[in-house]
Amino acid sequence: MSTLIVIVYPTEAKAEEVRQTLLGLQKEYVIRLGDAVIATRTEAGKVKLNQLLNTTATGAVSGSFWGLLIGVLFLNPLIGAAIGATSGALGGALTDVGIDDAFMKDLSASIAPGNAALFLLIQEMTEDKVLKQIEGFGGVVLKTSLDETKEQVLRDALQRHSAEAGLTPPP
């Protein structure tokens, strides 16, 4: 079963630093992430999602390849590639992998402008090793699907460093 953890950081750069640390731990097989998205809120109140996978671009590349291949078979590769890229991009844009985008946007509406929320969908992890690596970054836990004891351990570890940075939890 996957675990959802949302941590708020004072800047998008700090959230990206944590995400890169976790991706490094994934290469060491300490954690297996299903998704890792950074959400920021602008001064105007608009929420921007920075996702790992761009499904639109991936779909366009895949679609153009298959369209080109089919186009070659029917002696019109340019039209085949164009139709394939368009349909692949459309399919990719309509595909939502990992954490639901609407959920992330709704939850991110509560963070202060300029702050960033790191959404993590964790499939497996070695808790003590992951916590040791991320506790130095601070952050405030916004939401988790962890049980109460594990959530409190995470909150306490991050709170020690967040208090020093002056980051306060969202209302």
Side-chain angles (χ1 to χ4, degrees):
M1 184 169 130
S2 296
T3 302
L4 174 72
I5 299 176
V6 183
I7 304 172
V8 178
Y9 291 97
T11 63
E12 185 175 6
K14 181 64 82 174
E16 182 62 41
E17 192 177 347
V18 175
R19 179 165 69 173
Q20 290 306 315
T21 299
L22 291 171
L23 290 173
L25 289 174
Q26 184 168 259
K27 290 177 184 172
E28 297 173 16
Y29 301 102
V30 175
I31 189 169
R32 192 161 51 108
L33 296 170
D35 202 2
V37 179
I38 297 172
T40 55
R41 190 167 147 229
T42 64
E43 295 295 330
K46 185 171 172 27
V47 175
K48 182 186 88 170
L49 299 178
N50 177 351
Q51 301 192 5
L52 283 175
L53 292 176
N54 184 347
T55 55
T56 304
T58 305
V61 169
S62 173
S64 64
F65 169 75
W66 288 109
L68 179 66
L69 183 64
I70 291 170
V72 166
L73 293 175
F74 293 105
L75 302 175
N76 205 339
L78 293 178
I79 292 176
I83 291 172
T86 304
S87 62
L90 180 62
L94 297 175
T95 302
D96 188 16
V97 178
I99 306 168
D100 182 55
D101 290 355
F103 168 76
M104 289 188 286
K105 287 183 178 185
D106 288 344
L107 194 57
S108 298
S110 67
I111 66 173
N115 285 356
L118 176 60
F119 288 80
L120 300 169
L121 186 62
I122 301 169
Q123 295 171 342
E124 290 180 44
M125 74 172 156
T126 307
E127 290 94 355
D128 58 334
K129 291 182 179 183
V130 172
L131 188 59
K132 188 185 292 185
Q133 291 295 315
I134 68 167
E135 69 182 349
F137 293 105
V140 176
V141 177
L142 183 60
K143 186 171 189 68
T144 74
S145 63
L146 294 169
D147 64 48
E148 290 179 12
T149 11
K150 288 181 180 178
E151 182 176 339
Q152 194 56 48
V153 168
L154 176 64
R155 285 182 189 277
D156 292 343
L158 296 178
Q159 187 175 19
R160 287 190 292 269
H161 296 279
S162 294
E164 297 167 4
L167 184 65
T168 57

